[in-house]
């Protein structure tokens, strides 16, 4: 080899080995034929020990078949294939336990090689660790549908969910109930003692509601001091009992206002249920609001309507 060719080869090899992201050369039969790069140990384990082994030998069965299908499709179509997957280094047999721990998300770009140097059709498999991006996407998705303080569903997402559950209840001819709980002491706390104590009051009420509802339904925070609960497959008479229990837990939560004073949370609750095929979420919302409005002229704190 001429000196210039040797120098070029050395430069290419140095650049390839310095690449932070690994490029695997994968055979049509799922054999790891070669690996280039992948030097960033905070993102990737050292995959060189995989060379000569097959997907089936080192990966969980379903993942091995999925990877093999992608490789063979890239070769068959002679087109770029892309795949996202989650894989922990602990799931890969035969690699050193050095690198990121726990399930990592990867984005792979798989492209056929136009060479027979490896003795069989092959592809290059460029793997990029996208775990941080995935976590950011999950956080954004969570914020788009959840209230930041209580982590209950926010108003928009909750209302869409209620519509969906009403449609399912009608389709399956099943009951569905709605509970609305208003904290009638919240404004006095925030006006007298500030929003920090107001947040503590909201969290106290939220924990009480969550402890009562558990997995019976879904909870939304409609505004600062208003909560709503949708209960699929629950009749109004049972929803009434759930509302009463939640209110008892809410009133049992004490808020310390200062060194000398504490206060209990108080609430009003309206309960209704889906009655016929012509009703929608708007009708149910109006009924629970009417129920709470009627409580203001009575000594009751819970009303079914």
């Amino acid at each position: 080899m001429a000196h210039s060719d040797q120098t070029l080869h050395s430069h290419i090899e140095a650049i390839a080995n310095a690449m932070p992201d690994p490029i695997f050369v994968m055979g049509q039969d799922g054999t790891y034929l070669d690996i280039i790069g992948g030097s960033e140990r905070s993102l990737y384990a050292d995959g060189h020990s995989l060379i000569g082994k097959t997907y089936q030998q080192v990966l969980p069965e379903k993942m091995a078949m999925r990877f093999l299908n992608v490789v063979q499709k890239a070769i068959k179509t002679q087109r770029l294939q892309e795949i996202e997957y989650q894989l922990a280094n602990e799931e890969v047999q035969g690699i050193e336990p050095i690198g990121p721990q726990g399930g990592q998300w990867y984005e792979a770009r798989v492209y056929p090689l136009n060479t027979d140097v490896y003795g069989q059709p092959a592809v290059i498999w460029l793997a990029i660790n996208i775990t941080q991006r995935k976590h950011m996407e999950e956080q954004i998705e969570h914020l788009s549908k959840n209230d930041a303080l209580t982590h209950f569903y926010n108003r928009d997402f909750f209302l869409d969910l209620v519509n969906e559950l009403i449609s399912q209840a009608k389709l399956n001819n099943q009951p569905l109930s709605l509970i609305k709980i208003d904290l009638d002491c919240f404004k006095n706390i925030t006006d007298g003692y500030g929003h920090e104590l107001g947040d503590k009051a909201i969290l106290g009420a939220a924990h009480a509601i969550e402890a009562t509802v558990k997995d019976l339904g879904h909870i939304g925070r409609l505004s600062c001091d208003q909560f709503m609960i949708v209960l699929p497959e629950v009749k109004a008479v049972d929803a009434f009992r759930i509302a009463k229990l939640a209110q008892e837990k809410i009133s049992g939560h004490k808020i310390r206002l200062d060194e000398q004073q504490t206060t209990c949370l108080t609430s009003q609750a309206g309960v209704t249920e889906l009655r016929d095929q012509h009703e929608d979420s708007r009708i149910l919302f109006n009924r629970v609001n009417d129920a709470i409005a009627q409580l203001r002229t009575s000594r009751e704190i819970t009303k079914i309507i």
Side-chain angles (χ1 to χ4, degrees), residues 102-278:
Q104 301 291 301
W105 279 97
Y106 298 95
E107 179 182 77
R109 296 172 65 84
V110 186
Y111 198 78
L113 281 173
N114 294 320
T115 177
D116 59 359
V117 69
Y118 290 102
Q120 64 170 299
V123 302
I124 55 172
W125 180 296
L126 170 61
I128 300 175
N129 191 316
I130 59 170
T131 303
Q132 185 175 3
R133 190 188 83 192
K134 274 288 185 180
H135 288 167
M136 290 181 63
E137 290 174 354
E138 289 169 359
Q139 290 173 4
I140 291 170
E141 182 181 1
H142 179 80
L143 290 172
S144 72
K145 65 181 182 180
N146 292 89
D147 170 60
L149 179 63
T150 64
H151 300 295
F152 291 161
Y153 292 133
N154 61 33
R155 181 184 182 88
D156 290 342
F157 187 86
F158 183 80
L159 298 184
D160 288 342
L161 176 62
V162 171
N163 282 321
E164 181 181 333
L165 293 175
I166 287 175
S167 296
Q168 291 178 9
K170 290 178 180 179
L171 181 65
N172 298 316
N173 196 29
Q174 293 176 332
L176 177 142
S177 293
L178 205 63
I179 301 172
K180 186 181 181 189
I181 298 177
D182 289 0
L183 302 182
D184 52 16
C185 57
F186 176 74
K187 191 173 187 301
N188 293 335
I189 294 175
T190 54
D191 287 351
Y193 298 92
H195 288 286
E196 184 176 349
L197 275 180
D199 285 349
K200 288 183 178 179
I202 291 296
L203 285 173
H207 291 154
I209 294 170
E210 188 172 32
T212 304
V213 175
K214 297 180 181 176
D215 60 352
L216 295 174
H218 308 277
I219 310 168
R221 185 184 179 195
L222 300 191
S223 67
C224 60
D225 58 351
Q226 297 181 346
F227 301 91
M228 191 170 279
I229 306 159
V230 60
L231 300 165
E233 302 181 38
V234 175
K235 293 181 177 294
V237 63
D238 296 317
F240 182 83
R241 297 190 186 99
I242 292 170
K244 292 285 288 184
L245 181 57
Q247 288 178 284
E248 289 173 8
K249 289 183 180 293
I250 290 171
S251 63
H253 181 74
K254 290 183 171 58
I255 300 293
R256 179 167 293 280
L257 301 174
D258 53 37
E259 293 182 358
Q260 287 80 34
Q261 297 185 78
T262 61
T263 188
C264 294
L265 299 175
T266 56
S267 64
Q268 296 178 322
V271 180
T272 194
E273 68 181 341
L274 183 66
R275 294 175 182 164
D276 61 53
Q277 291 287 322
H278 302 293

Side-chain angles (χ1 to χ4, degrees), residues 29-32 53-61 64-65 68:
D29 62 357
T31 300
Y32 290 87
K53 299 176 182 177
T54 66
Y55 284 145
Q56 290 85 350
Q57 291 174 317
V58 300
L59 295 177
E61 182 179 357
M65 288 304 302
L68 184 59

